[in-house]
Amino acid sequence: MKEIGVGVIGTAFMGKAHSIAYAAAGTAFGGGLRPRLELLCDINPERAERKRIEMGFARATSDYMDVVNDPRVDLISVCVPNSVHKEISVAALKAGKHVWCEKPMATNVQEAQEMLDAARESDCQTMLGYNYTQNPLVQSARQLIEEGVIGRVTGFHGIYDVDNEADAGRPHSWRMSREASGTGANADVMCHLVSIAHFMAGSEISRLVGDYDTVHKERADPKNPGQTLTVDNDDVCTALAHFESGIKGTLRVSRVAWGRKCGLKWEIHGSEGMICHDQERLNELKLYTRSDDPRQQGFKTILSGPNHEPYDAFLPNGGHTLGFIDVKTCELHSLLKAIETGKPTWPSFEDGMKIENVMDAIDRSALSGQWVDV
Amino acid sequence: MKEIGVGVIGTAFMGKAHSIAYAAAGTAFGGGLRPRLELLCDINPERAERKRIEMGFARATSDYMDVVNDPRVDLISVCVPNSVHKEISVAALKAGKHVWCEKPMATNVQEAQEMLDAARESDCQTMLGYNYTQNPLVQSARQLIEEGVIGRVTGFHGIYDVDNEADAGRPHSWRMSREASGTGANADVMCHLVSIAHFMAGSEISRLVGDYDTVHKERADPKNPGQTLTVDNDDVCTALAHFESGIKGTLRVSRVAWGRKCGLKWEIHGSEGMICHDQERLNELKLYTRSDDPRQQGFKTILSGPNHEPYDAFLPNGGHTLGFIDVKTCELHSLLKAIETGKPTWPSFEDGMKIENVMDAIDRSALSGQWVDV
Amino acid sequence: MKEIGVGVIGTAFMGKAHSIAYAAAGTAFGGGLRPRLELLCDINPERAERKRIEMGFARATSDYMDVVNDPRVDLISVCVPNSVHKEISVAALKAGKHVWCEKPMATNVQEAQEMLDAARESDCQTMLGYNYTQNPLVQSARQLIEEGVIGRVTGFHGIYDVDNEADAGRPHSWRMSREASGTGANADVMCHLVSIAHFMAGSEISRLVGDYDTVHKERADPKNPGQTLTVDNDDVCTALAHFESGIKGTLRVSRVAWGRKCGLKWEIHGSEGMICHDQERLNELKLYTRSDDPRQQGFKTILSGPNHEPYDAFLPNGGHTLGFIDVKTCELHSLLKAIETGKPTWPSFEDGMKIENVMDAIDRSALSGQWVDV
Amino acid sequence: MKEIGVGVIGTAFMGKAHSIAYAAAGTAFGGGLRPRLELLCDINPERAERKRIEMGFARATSDYMDVVNDPRVDLISVCVPNSVHKEISVAALKAGKHVWCEKPMATNVQEAQEMLDAARESDCQTMLGYNYTQNPLVQSARQLIEEGVIGRVTGFHGIYDVDNEADAGRPHSWRMSREASGTGANADVMCHLVSIAHFMAGSEISRLVGDYDTVHKERADPKNPGQTLTVDNDDVCTALAHFESGIKGTLRVSRVAWGRKCGLKWEIHGSEGMICHDQERLNELKLYTRSDDPRQQGFKTILSGPNHEPYDAFLPNGGHTLGFIDVKTCELHSLLKAIETGKPTWPSFEDGMKIENVMDAIDRSALSGQWVDV
């Protein structure tokens, strides 16, 4: 078993998730590359050291360039705000490090392109944290589709609703400003849905018409009591889409959908069946195929289990439930295999760029009121 | 209790459903107008007489004008193919009969307009059989919305998937020809979804962009073995929509969605909550409102019961399940009240015209690739 | 099409349901015997006449013996309180009338035996209103079991929870008195569950141990404010059971289970699969059979449809939802066929007696604390 | 942050789960005791060393006494077959080590008592791996009950069905022999259900009647082709139970229930509401409380989220899904707090003994056909 030294930049939610994944991967998967928790970076030196101890890293730093330049680090997790994804990823790739970057790729297509260029110029593997595609059950669904279980893919329909900003009483923030953060639900939520669309359909979106809605148009100005500020980006983002393969589909996301906590629901329609998934029940897949006996036709509810690889790295029996962090560990496993074999995994920066292009096209279409090419 | 003489034209599925509703209404609701099964019409005289006996009508005929002109008939059910809705409805209205016409209203907007004109010129009540809006639980949902339970309505999203034509092995039929039947899923399926959109949102769609897809582009020619015919209307129909009230939404329907038998699912998003419904579980409503205790927040699954009027006309206890035909009886009850009081019910021909206009706008948009006004 | 004259005794919930079923049966089923609504009986003459008009009967009476003796009546519905089931049913059978009696059969096994004796001495058909067994989907489940779809039946487990008496604030009533009404949940709720157990298992319960619980032991005395009365029968009733076929099972019912409106849930375990049903979703059946591909194994959710006879008597397409009253009409259809063919249907008074015996055995066991033979 | 040296004995499923929990706990929870992976034990020396590297332990051994006697180890995980739980746990406790032992406690009550005696004589903390009680959502449910959200607890009903042995084609094994492994489903499955019953009801079972069934009575003898061996312990185990608090309930488990992968479902009935949980959807809780508006009454589906402590140690947003291993980490966290504070956690060996006593009482009752005291 070979080791690979890893550095994590950022210690919030995603830094934590990456760190647990690094700590668990060897035990879960055995064989392959075993991560060695080498260097942890947080902009706050005191927190960096405290988290280092909690998380079990060998060393800590508050300067991300220390990670980039560390000879004992071969793989870097970029778990910082989107606005610095490009800067760090490019530096890491130039220093010859593999990069595991959280989603979305960047704040605009220009930055994403710079990241892609850096990846192309390097010999390193890259991966974006579109983790919902890494669920063993979702990967298994993809396999089933490729095996023809639902026939020819004929359509993709997806929704991703969350209620993070549903409360009209939440004050204005940088997320609600086009200048400060770019698009709203499009950037934050749609990117996940596009990743699923591309992965599950096995084809990319090539043409679309998009629309925006801002449901809470004014929000309290946190700095000026009694005043409000205008929300000038999208709470809701929708699109009709054509894929390169010729199929069509729909996408809609909202950040103001009360009651939806992780409401990513998608359906793949096929000429012989249908597969559906709801991320709030990540361990369940719905599958409809034609039945010989018309009295017995219906959607199956498939529970994730050891036949949905690599579920069995975690649990020997079905129905025992994988969680978000287990799926993150699967994601890492996929990246480690790519590093070991030199064969890219999905979604690399190449794949991420295509996702960014769709979000950009939705933005152009929503602003122009026209169908546009991606 | 006053009686009202009724005539039913057509004895297939909908003729049957109307007839059972007429026979059950007095028992279920008591009071009000009691239907008297006067005259049944089927184009086939022999079947007309047989069905008359089975269904308990006083007399039968094979000529719909007999029904139109019968002095003992005050209310006429139009349960025949869409292509003759206009002809019969206009004749009935001119003869001073109330009309209960199945959906969609007609095969194009010109015919629908003629029907509307006839209704406007008469003193009669009209109703279109958009029965999913007549479900006591759905009506109750509408009331709850009006009472502000989910705050301000902020969005409508609806799907109606069926698998009637999902099997690629089904031969070509008139339904798959634009010339013979007009649009496909748009006409057959979308009309129901638009009725729900208008009813639940409390506002009409005013602008939209639509798209079509034909999933099975060639089907076996039933008359020429080994030959195929082209399907030149839509298997799938989607739209992004703006409503007069200012809210936005999405609609999509398919007639080739494997596994969906009556897959009409809709969500009303509100500023303080959400309501969802799935027609395949017509006795369940999902409601999310904010909870004082964050540990207790979640969607409620509300079972239809006696507090959802007029459920109690059928059953005294909740959870005992209404069916499609009970809802049809509720629909009739609503029309009978309109006749009794002279106050129109929803959806009259006025309301139906607005639904037809949306379907027409989707067609124009899908063909032109442009956003269009309804 | 032959007619059969029917009389209904009782005009409350079940009188209504029977009357709608009689009015709908001809239209729904065609062919066979067509009910003719001849004579309606209500103890209150004024209500009898009012209901007669609403319900469309030819004549009304306030004396049930008028129905029993009416030469134009061949089939009598007994829709009155349990305490008079015996008296009326025995009189009707002696007068040569077929009897459709609501459940439970009687208030004790002696009365039930008298009813059975009268049925045996007559040439008439009898049926008890255990309607949950008449659901086309449940009947289809029984067929599938007989065809071996889940292998050998290995167990039956059922629950029937309702919340009719869950509110501790409800005052004492005759239902809560052993003297006035016999057992509590055992009589009211368990009888339905036993009917399902016998029907689905295809075998009767022969030995059991039962237990009672009274959750709300004192309730307000409605006649003496501030006083309470003791509830001396069962709110909850449970049993472990052995069936004649050798399989074992469990049964539990409650009348104080908050949130359950019609919470009848049962599972048939088999050597090769499992079937489950929940009455609150009467149009859905869950079926698990072994799958060739372990990635595709899961319970199917089967929606009722035209392949589950006689669903197609009501609706041509699946997923359109049957309701309680439709199922009541199916029940009637089964009885009409029995009358026509002279072959008993299930559950006749023979079958009902076996259900009563189980309830009696549960009572004996719960009081004695011993396993008992039925 | 203080460290605690840990040793894990056993490297199969549970050894893995404990090891990942140890590696993740510091990162997830911060603060408190941080596990240091000190010594790993597997009976096979080669595997011990290989697993040591994969799992990140400092040292490995094939002799469990090395772990027991290691001065750098303070907490020992017992993840070996049930038959050696006693031997190792007693040795560990005598050596002054805290013990985290997998369930069930032992193979009979005598052994369990020895373990309890050893725990009582030590100053160490003990915990049994009844992990389903450690789910943050389940713990939160317990809190809600204690706060009176569903009023007074009035009943507990639980099921735990799995299909591990459902296939009649599986050959005979030691698990199916009373001599080799004691009871069947009672020992393997019922113990979990009893742990939930005691935890959720807040009271222990004191009296019961139990029953056994063996569904597959003969199985292929793996050593003698064509021969079979008798299964002489229980495939199915059921009980009616009385609790010390006065409430009553039911329990049933099966190891031959096709389609159930982790089918642990329980309901707590209350005088003002109900709470239900299904382990196959471990991130969902069903809660019914009375509603002011009868149109809005229904069960809520509550998704686990940051308000259900300590969910937020893993994920900041609701609906993102915890998995089995996260719950195992919560379990560890509870034990670490006990070690830190000196206050026992639930379920200690004291609590485990009460669970063993119930399983023993079920066995006595099933064999004698009598109600028995626990």
Side-chain angles (χ1 to χ4, degrees):
Chain A
M1 191 178 208
K2 287 173 61 181
E3 285 192 344
I4 180 168
V6 302
V8 171
I9 302 174
T11 64
F13 172 29
M14 277 300 154
K16 234 171 141 169
H18 282 227
S19 296
I20 295 180
Y22 284 131
T27 304
F29 290 99
L33 289 173
R34 188 181 194 284
R36 190 183 63 242
L37 283 69
E38 198 61 47
L39 186 50
L40 181 68
C41 176
D42 189 288
I43 202 165
N44 176 320
E46 188 189 15
R47 188 166 56 217
E49 177 56 17
R50 180 163 49 80
K51 289 288 179 184
R52 181 195 73 74
I53 297 169
E54 289 176 14
M55 296 183 174
F57 280 80
R59 290 166 292 133
T61 178
S62 62
D63 180 352
Y64 80 77
M65 285 306 294
D66 290 348
V67 186
V68 166
N69 293 319
D70 194 293
R72 290 180 58 80
V73 166
D74 289 312
L75 165 58
I76 294 178
S77 281
V78 181
C79 302
V80 291
N82 306 340
S83 56
V84 279
H85 282 187
K86 184 208 71 172
E87 177 182 322
I88 298 178
S89 296
V90 169
L93 287 163
K94 289 198 170 159
K97 311 298 190 191
H98 306 290
V99 175
W100 186 16
C101 181
E102 272 310 312
K103 49 64 52 183
M105 199 168 171
T107 54
N108 57 57
V109 286
Q110 290 72 30
E111 286 185 353
Q113 187 64 49
E114 287 183 57
M115 292 167 74
L116 175 55
D117 292 344
R120 284 176 173 169
E121 286 159 22
S122 81
D123 294 327
C124 301
Q125 297 298 329
T126 56
M127 188 177 216
L128 288 158
Y130 289 110
N131 55 293
Y132 302 134
T133 62
Q134 305 296 325
N135 180 350
L137 204 51
V138 171
Q139 296 264 336
S140 195
R142 180 67 208 142
Q143 274 183 341
L144 291 171
I145 291 167
E146 282 170 13
E147 293 167 20
V149 168
I150 60 165
R152 172 175 52 95
V153 170
T154 61
F156 172 87
H157 301 286
I159 301 166
Y160 194 0
D161 280 350
V162 296
D163 66 1
N164 301 358
E165 312 290 355
D167 188 347
R170 280 172 65 93
H172 196 278
S173 80
W174 62 272
R175 288 181 183 280
M176 294 145 189
S177 157
R178 192 169 173 96
E179 188 178 345
S181 78
T183 61
N186 188 3
D188 280 353
V189 193
M190 184 61 90
C191 62
H192 269 301
L193 185 55
V194 175
S195 77
I196 284 281
H198 284 183
F199 182 70
M200 293 309 303
S203 171
E204 278 110 35
I205 294 169
S206 55
R207 186 166 169 77
L208 59 80
V209 61
D211 198 18
Y212 283 154
D213 195 17
T214 306
V215 162
H216 299 306
K217 293 183 173 60
E218 295 285 321
R219 291 192 183 255
D221 180 347
K223 294 180 185 155
N224 295 297
Q227 307 282 310
T228 63
L229 289 169
T230 299
V231 177
D232 67 355
N233 62 14
D234 49 305
D235 286 335
V236 179
C237 170
T238 58
L240 310 181
H242 297 181
F243 290 70
E244 285 194 359
S245 63
I247 70 159
K248 299 185 179 180
T250 58
L251 300 94
R252 73 174 170 85
V253 305
S254 170
R255 66 184 180 191
V256 295
W258 274 114
R260 301 301 183 201
K261 304 305 173 188
C262 194
L264 171 60
K265 302 179 191 191
W266 51 263
E267 300 179 359
I268 292 275
H269 294 218
S271 60
E272 303 284 329
M274 191 189 293
I275 294 183
C276 310
H277 188 255
D278 176 349
Q279 181 64 25
E280 290 180 349
R281 289 179 174 165
L282 82 80
N283 290 278
E284 295 182 19
L285 197 71
K286 305 281 186 186
L287 170 65
Y288 185 95
T289 54
R290 303 169 69 174
S291 174
D292 292 337
D293 179 350
R295 298 169 304 169
Q296 295 187 45
Q297 61 189 2
F299 275 89
K300 270 187 197 164
T301 300
I302 300 169
L303 293 181
S304 59
N307 296 296
H308 307 109
E309 292 183 1
Y311 177 101
D312 62 343
F314 301 90
L315 301 165
N317 296 316
H320 277 60
T321 307
L322 297 186
F324 181 95
I325 290 175
D326 300 321
V327 176
K328 211 71 196 167
T329 309
C330 293
E331 184 181 320
L332 168 61
H333 181 58
S334 179
L335 175 58
L336 293 176
K337 280 193 296 187
I339 292 170
E340 217 180 352
T341 62
K343 290 182 58 179
T345 189
W346 197 97
S348 69
F349 282 9
E350 291 283 350
D351 308 302
M353 188 73 226
K354 291 169 182 165
I355 297 170
E356 298 292 319
N357 285 337
V358 172
M359 290 147 61
D360 182 63
I362 290 174
D363 193 51
R364 286 184 284 123
S365 174
L367 298 183
S368 69
Q370 301 293 328
W371 280 86
V372 300
D373 290 321
V374 173
Chain B
M1 193 178 207
K2 289 173 60 181
E3 285 191 346
I4 180 168
V6 302
V8 171
I9 303 173
T11 65
F13 171 27
M14 277 300 153
K16 236 172 138 167
H18 282 228
S19 296
I20 295 181
Y22 283 131
T27 303
F29 289 100
L33 289 172
R34 187 179 195 286
R36 190 184 62 243
L37 282 69
E38 198 61 47
L39 185 51
L40 181 68
C41 175
D42 190 289
I43 202 166
N44 175 321
E46 187 188 17
R47 188 166 56 217
E49 177 57 18
R50 180 164 47 81
K51 289 288 178 185
R52 181 196 72 74
I53 296 169
E54 288 177 15
M55 295 183 174
F57 280 80
R59 291 165 292 134
T61 178
S62 62
D63 179 351
Y64 80 76
M65 284 307 293
D66 290 347
V67 187
V68 166
N69 293 320
D70 193 292
R72 289 180 59 79
V73 166
D74 290 312
L75 165 58
I76 294 178
S77 281
V78 181
C79 302
V80 290
N82 307 340
S83 56
V84 280
H85 283 188
K86 184 207 72 172
E87 177 182 321
I88 299 179
S89 296
V90 168
L93 286 163
K94 289 199 171 158
K97 311 298 190 191
H98 305 289
V99 175
W100 185 15
C101 180
E102 271 310 312
K103 49 65 51 182
M105 200 167 171
T107 53
N108 58 55
V109 287
Q110 290 71 31
E111 287 186 353
Q113 186 64 48
E114 286 183 57
M115 291 167 74
L116 175 56
D117 292 343
R120 284 176 174 168
E121 285 159 23
S122 82
D123 293 327
C124 300
Q125 297 298 330
T126 57
M127 188 176 215
L128 289 156
Y130 288 111
N131 56 294
Y132 303 134
T133 63
Q134 305 296 326
N135 179 350
L137 204 51
V138 172
Q139 296 265 334
S140 195
R142 180 67 207 142
Q143 275 184 342
L144 291 171
I145 291 166
E146 281 169 13
E147 293 168 20
V149 167
I150 60 164
R152 174 173 54 95
V153 170
T154 62
F156 172 87
H157 301 286
I159 301 165
Y160 194 0
D161 279 351
V162 297
D163 66 2
N164 302 358
E165 312 290 357
D167 188 347
R170 280 171 66 91
H172 197 279
S173 81
W174 61 273
R175 289 182 181 279
M176 295 147 189
S177 156
R178 192 170 173 95
E179 189 178 343
S181 78
T183 62
N186 188 3
D188 280 352
V189 193
M190 183 61 90
C191 63
H192 269 301
L193 186 55
V194 176
S195 78
I196 283 281
H198 285 183
F199 182 70
M200 293 310 303
S203 171
E204 279 111 34
I205 295 169
S206 55
R207 186 166 169 76
L208 58 80
V209 61
D211 198 19
Y212 283 154
D213 195 18
T214 306
V215 162
H216 299 306
K217 293 183 173 59
E218 295 286 322
R219 291 193 183 255
D221 180 348
K223 295 180 185 155
N224 295 296
Q227 307 282 309
T228 63
L229 290 170
T230 298
V231 177
D232 68 354
N233 61 15
D234 49 303
D235 286 335
V236 180
C237 170
T238 58
L240 309 181
H242 296 182
F243 289 71
E244 285 193 0
S245 63
I247 70 159
K248 299 184 179 179
T250 58
L251 301 94
R252 73 174 170 86
V253 306
S254 171
R255 66 184 179 190
V256 294
W258 274 113
R260 302 300 184 200
K261 304 304 173 187
C262 194
L264 171 60
K265 303 180 190 190
W266 51 262
E267 300 179 359
I268 290 277
H269 294 217
S271 59
E272 304 285 327
M274 192 189 291
I275 294 183
C276 311
H277 189 255
D278 177 349
Q279 181 65 22
E280 289 180 348
R281 289 180 173 165
L282 82 78
N283 290 277
E284 294 183 19
L285 196 72
K286 304 281 185 185
L287 169 66
Y288 185 94
T289 55
R290 303 169 68 175
S291 173
D292 292 338
D293 180 349
R295 297 169 304 171
Q296 295 186 44
Q297 60 189 3
F299 276 89
K300 270 187 198 164
T301 300
I302 300 169
L303 294 180
S304 59
N307 297 296
H308 307 109
E309 292 182 1
Y311 177 102
D312 63 342
F314 301 90
L315 301 166
N317 296 317
H320 278 59
T321 307
L322 297 186
F324 182 94
I325 290 176
D326 300 321
V327 175
K328 211 72 195 165
T329 309
C330 294
E331 184 180 320
L332 167 62
H333 181 58
S334 179
L335 175 58
L336 293 176
K337 279 193 296 186
I339 293 170
E340 215 180 354
T341 62
K343 289 182 60 178
T345 189
W346 197 98
S348 70
F349 282 9
E350 291 283 350
D351 307 303
M353 187 73 226
K354 291 170 182 164
I355 296 170
E356 298 291 320
N357 285 337
V358 172
M359 290 147 61
D360 181 64
I362 290 174
D363 193 51
R364 287 184 284 125
S365 174
L367 299 183
S368 70
Q370 300 293 330
W371 280 86
V372 300
D373 290 322
V374 174
Chain C
M1 192 177 206
K2 289 173 59 180
E3 284 191 347
I4 180 169
V6 302
V8 171
I9 303 173
T11 64
F13 171 29
M14 277 300 154
K16 235 172 139 168
H18 282 227
S19 296
I20 295 180
Y22 283 131
T27 304
F29 290 100
L33 288 173
R34 187 181 194 284
R36 189 184 64 243
L37 283 69
E38 199 60 49
L39 185 52
L40 181 68
C41 175
D42 189 289
I43 201 165
N44 175 321
E46 187 189 16
R47 187 166 56 219
E49 177 58 18
R50 179 163 49 80
K51 290 288 179 184
R52 181 196 70 76
I53 297 169
E54 289 176 15
M55 296 183 175
F57 280 80
R59 290 164 293 133
T61 177
S62 62
D63 180 350
Y64 79 77
M65 284 307 292
D66 290 349
V67 187
V68 166
N69 293 320
D70 194 290
R72 290 180 57 81
V73 166
D74 289 313
L75 165 58
I76 295 179
S77 282
V78 181
C79 302
V80 291
N82 306 341
S83 56
V84 281
H85 282 186
K86 185 208 70 172
E87 178 182 320
I88 298 179
S89 296
V90 169
L93 287 163
K94 290 197 170 159
K97 312 298 190 191
H98 305 290
V99 175
W100 185 15
C101 180
E102 271 311 312
K103 48 65 52 183
M105 200 168 173
T107 53
N108 58 56
V109 286
Q110 290 71 32
E111 287 186 353
Q113 186 64 49
E114 287 183 58
M115 293 167 72
L116 175 55
D117 291 343
R120 284 176 173 168
E121 286 159 22
S122 82
D123 294 327
C124 300
Q125 297 298 330
T126 56
M127 188 176 215
L128 288 157
Y130 288 110
N131 56 294
Y132 303 133
T133 62
Q134 305 296 325
N135 180 349
L137 204 51
V138 172
Q139 295 265 334
S140 194
R142 181 66 207 142
Q143 274 184 342
L144 292 172
I145 291 167
E146 281 169 14
E147 294 168 20
V149 167
I150 60 165
R152 173 174 53 94
V153 170
T154 61
F156 172 87
H157 301 286
I159 301 165
Y160 194 1
D161 279 349
V162 297
D163 65 1
N164 301 358
E165 310 291 357
D167 188 348
R170 280 172 66 91
H172 197 280
S173 80
W174 62 273
R175 289 181 182 279
M176 295 146 189
S177 157
R178 192 168 174 97
E179 189 178 344
S181 78
T183 62
N186 188 4
D188 281 353
V189 194
M190 184 61 90
C191 63
H192 270 301
L193 186 54
V194 175
S195 77
I196 284 281
H198 285 183
F199 182 70
M200 293 310 303
S203 171
E204 278 110 35
I205 295 169
S206 55
R207 186 165 168 77
L208 58 81
V209 62
D211 198 19
Y212 283 155
D213 195 17
T214 306
V215 162
H216 300 305
K217 293 183 174 59
E218 294 286 321
R219 292 193 183 254
D221 180 347
K223 295 182 184 153
N224 295 295
Q227 306 283 309
T228 62
L229 290 170
T230 299
V231 177
D232 67 355
N233 62 14
D234 50 304
D235 287 334
V236 180
C237 171
T238 58
L240 309 181
H242 297 183
F243 289 69
E244 284 194 0
S245 63
I247 70 159
K248 299 184 179 180
T250 57
L251 301 94
R252 73 174 170 86
V253 306
S254 171
R255 66 184 180 190
V256 294
W258 274 114
R260 301 301 183 201
K261 304 305 174 188
C262 193
L264 171 59
K265 303 181 190 188
W266 51 263
E267 299 179 1
I268 291 276
H269 294 219
S271 60
E272 303 285 328
M274 191 189 292
I275 294 184
C276 311
H277 189 256
D278 177 350
Q279 181 65 24
E280 289 180 350
R281 289 179 172 165
L282 82 79
N283 290 277
E284 295 183 18
L285 197 71
K286 305 280 186 186
L287 169 66
Y288 184 95
T289 54
R290 302 169 69 175
S291 174
D292 292 337
D293 179 350
R295 298 169 305 169
Q296 295 187 45
Q297 61 189 2
F299 276 89
K300 271 187 195 163
T301 300
I302 300 169
L303 294 180
S304 59
N307 296 297
H308 307 108
E309 292 182 1
Y311 176 102
D312 63 342
F314 302 89
L315 300 165
N317 296 317
H320 277 60
T321 307
L322 297 186
F324 181 96
I325 290 175
D326 300 322
V327 175
K328 212 70 197 169
T329 309
C330 294
E331 184 180 319
L332 168 60
H333 181 58
S334 179
L335 175 57
L336 293 176
K337 279 193 297 186
I339 293 170
E340 216 180 353
T341 62
K343 289 181 57 179
T345 188
W346 198 97
S348 70
F349 282 8
E350 292 282 350
D351 308 301
M353 187 73 225
K354 291 170 182 164
I355 297 169
E356 299 290 320
N357 285 337
V358 172
M359 290 147 62
D360 182 63
I362 290 174
D363 193 51
R364 286 184 284 125
S365 174
L367 298 183
S368 69
Q370 301 293 328
W371 281 84
V372 300
D373 290 321
V374 174
Chain D
M1 192 177 207
K2 288 173 61 180
E3 286 192 344
I4 180 169
V6 303
V8 171
I9 303 173
T11 64
F13 172 28
M14 277 301 154
K16 235 172 141 168
H18 282 227
S19 296
I20 295 180
Y22 283 132
T27 303
F29 289 100
L33 288 173
R34 187 180 196 285
R36 189 185 61 243
L37 283 69
E38 197 63 46
L39 186 51
L40 180 68
C41 175
D42 190 287
I43 202 166
N44 176 320
E46 187 188 16
R47 187 166 56 217
E49 176 58 18
R50 179 163 49 80
K51 289 287 179 186
R52 180 197 73 76
I53 296 169
E54 287 177 16
M55 296 183 173
F57 279 79
R59 290 165 291 133
T61 177
S62 62
D63 179 352
Y64 80 77
M65 284 306 293
D66 290 348
V67 186
V68 165
N69 293 319
D70 193 292
R72 290 180 58 80
V73 167
D74 290 312
L75 164 58
I76 294 178
S77 283
V78 180
C79 302
V80 291
N82 307 340
S83 57
V84 280
H85 282 188
K86 184 207 72 172
E87 178 183 321
I88 298 179
S89 296
V90 169
L93 286 163
K94 288 199 170 157
K97 311 299 189 191
H98 305 290
V99 175
W100 186 15
C101 179
E102 271 311 311
K103 49 65 53 182
M105 200 166 172
T107 53
N108 57 56
V109 286
Q110 290 71 32
E111 287 186 353
Q113 186 64 49
E114 288 183 57
M115 291 167 74
L116 175 55
D117 291 344
R120 284 176 173 168
E121 285 159 23
S122 81
D123 293 326
C124 300
Q125 297 297 330
T126 56
M127 188 176 215
L128 288 157
Y130 288 110
N131 55 295
Y132 302 134
T133 63
Q134 306 295 326
N135 179 349
L137 204 52
V138 172
Q139 295 266 334
S140 195
R142 180 67 207 142
Q143 274 184 342
L144 291 171
I145 291 167
E146 282 170 12
E147 293 168 20
V149 166
I150 60 164
R152 173 173 54 93
V153 170
T154 61
F156 171 87
H157 301 287
I159 301 164
Y160 194 1
D161 279 349
V162 297
D163 65 3
N164 302 358
E165 312 290 356
D167 188 347
R170 279 170 66 91
H172 197 279
S173 80
W174 62 273
R175 289 181 181 279
M176 295 147 189
S177 156
R178 191 168 174 97
E179 188 178 344
S181 79
T183 62
N186 188 4
D188 281 352
V189 193
M190 183 61 90
C191 63
H192 269 300
L193 185 55
V194 176
S195 77
I196 283 280
H198 285 182
F199 182 70
M200 293 311 303
S203 171
E204 278 110 35
I205 294 169
S206 55
R207 186 166 169 76
L208 58 80
V209 62
D211 198 19
Y212 283 154
D213 195 16
T214 305
V215 163
H216 300 305
K217 292 182 174 60
E218 294 287 321
R219 292 192 182 256
D221 179 347
K223 295 181 186 154
N224 295 296
Q227 307 282 309
T228 62
L229 290 170
T230 299
V231 177
D232 68 353
N233 62 14
D234 49 303
D235 287 334
V236 179
C237 171
T238 58
L240 310 180
H242 296 181
F243 290 70
E244 285 194 358
S245 63
I247 70 160
K248 299 184 179 178
T250 57
L251 300 95
R252 73 172 169 89
V253 306
S254 171
R255 66 184 181 191
V256 295
W258 274 113
R260 300 302 184 202
K261 304 305 173 189
C262 193
L264 171 60
K265 304 181 189 190
W266 51 263
E267 301 178 359
I268 291 277
H269 293 217
S271 59
E272 303 285 328
M274 192 190 291
I275 294 182
C276 311
H277 188 255
D278 177 349
Q279 181 65 23
E280 289 180 349
R281 289 180 174 165
L282 81 80
N283 289 277
E284 295 183 19
L285 196 71
K286 305 280 186 185
L287 170 65
Y288 184 95
T289 54
R290 303 169 67 175
S291 174
D292 292 337
D293 180 350
R295 297 169 304 170
Q296 296 186 44
Q297 61 190 1
F299 275 90
K300 270 186 197 165
T301 300
I302 299 170
L303 294 180
S304 60
N307 296 296
H308 307 109
E309 291 183 2
Y311 177 102
D312 63 343
F314 301 90
L315 301 165
N317 297 316
H320 277 60
T321 307
L322 296 186
F324 181 95
I325 290 176
D326 300 322
V327 175
K328 211 70 196 169
T329 309
C330 294
E331 184 180 320
L332 168 61
H333 182 57
S334 179
L335 175 57
L336 293 176
K337 279 194 296 188
I339 292 171
E340 217 180 352
T341 62
K343 290 181 59 180
T345 189
W346 198 97
S348 70
F349 282 9
E350 292 282 350
D351 308 303
M353 188 74 225
K354 291 169 182 164
I355 296 169
E356 297 291 320
N357 285 336
V358 172
M359 291 147 62
D360 182 64
I362 291 173
D363 193 51
R364 287 184 284 125
S365 175
L367 298 182
S368 69
Q370 300 294 328
W371 280 85
V372 301
D373 290 321
V374 174

